[in-house]
């Protein structure tokens, strides 16, 4: 994302496909899923906002943009959840703010199911 009318980068993120280890998901969720060790997901990574623009909702705009892209792509490519790897606990709290949940034993990895995401964006 660049500042309007300039080439100055305000913030960025990356998206790629990934595997979701189903053993790390809560049982309430795995009950409803196909019985595979891993299922396809999308990974939101490298999210960052230039320090000069932090606290101005740019991070929120970037997360919203990324999540909308994930929903659009999931119409064509199977994905059961969006994953994020937070660099520290503060970053994990930032993601929890949007409804991401921590995996049981990897507290800096979080997920949001595609079903939940679609519900949130509606
Ligand atoms: C985390 C980061 C992307 C947030 O961007 P931002 O533009 O400052 O965030 P926003 O202004 O959109 O804030 C949205 C909400 O998240 C909260 N928040 C922001 N940064 C937070 C953090 N590090 N921890 C917890 N909450 C945070 C804000 O208080 C705000 O809450 P509110 O809606 O109740 O007011 C930015 O601080 C950053 O680039 N940090 C360094 C890299 C990083 O930590 N990336 C995260 C992925 S590892």
């Amino acid at each position: 994302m660049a500042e309007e009318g300039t080439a100055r980068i305000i913030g960025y993120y990356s998206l790629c496909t990934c595997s979701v280890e189903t053993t790390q998901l809560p049982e309430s969720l795995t009950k409803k899923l196909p019985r595979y060790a891993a299922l396809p997901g999308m990974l939101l990574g490298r999210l960052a906002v230039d320090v000069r623009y932090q606290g101005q909702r740019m991070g929120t705009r970037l997360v919203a943009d990324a999540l909308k892209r994930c929903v659009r792509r999931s119409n064509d490519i199977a994905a059961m959840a969006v994953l994020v790897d937070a660099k520290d606990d503060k970053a994990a709290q930032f993601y929890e703010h949007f409804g991401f949940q921590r995996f049981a034993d990897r507290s800096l990895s979080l997920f949001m199911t595609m079903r939940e995401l679609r519900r949130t964006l509606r």
Side-chain angles (χ1 to χ4, degrees):
M1 179 166 66
E3 192 176 280
E4 214 174 297
T6 75
R8 179 182 289 164
I9 302 297
I10 293 175
Y12 51 79
Y13 64 81
S14 69
L15 282 178
C16 64
T17 53
C18 67
S19 288
V20 185
E21 287 175 50
T22 50
T23 53
Q24 303 299 319
L25 293 168
E27 202 190 320
S28 55
L29 192 57
T30 50
K31 273 196 305 206
K32 300 173 198 153
L33 293 172
R35 296 189 179 280
Y36 293 116
L39 289 170
M42 294 187 196
L43 179 68
L44 164 59
R46 301 187 182 278
L47 173 76
V49 171
D50 182 321
V51 283
R52 289 169 293 186
Y53 297 90
Q54 286 180 13
Q56 298 173 43
R57 304 244 152 226
M58 296 301 171
T60 301
R61 280 175 59 184
L62 286 168
V63 171
D65 186 74
L67 295 180
K68 283 180 196 157
R69 276 177 206 270
C70 289
V71 167
R72 286 203 298 271
R73 295 298 171 265
S74 73
N75 292 329
D76 299 319
I77 300 168
M80 62 80 51
V82 179
L83 272 55
V84 289
D85 285 323
K87 70 180 173 82
D88 54 31
D89 199 61
K90 263 186 97 179
Q93 285 170 31
F94 172 76
Y95 286 120
E96 283 178 323
H97 196 85
F98 297 100
F100 281 89
Q101 294 176 60
R102 295 180 197 237
F103 280 100
D105 64 350
R106 289 184 297 163
S107 63
L108 292 181
S109 285
L110 299 92
F111 70 94
M112 191 189 303
T113 64
M114 213 47 89
R115 177 184 285 228
E116 183 63 29
L117 177 52
R118 285 178 193 281
R119 201 180 302 142
T120 303
L121 291 181
R122 265 203 298 269

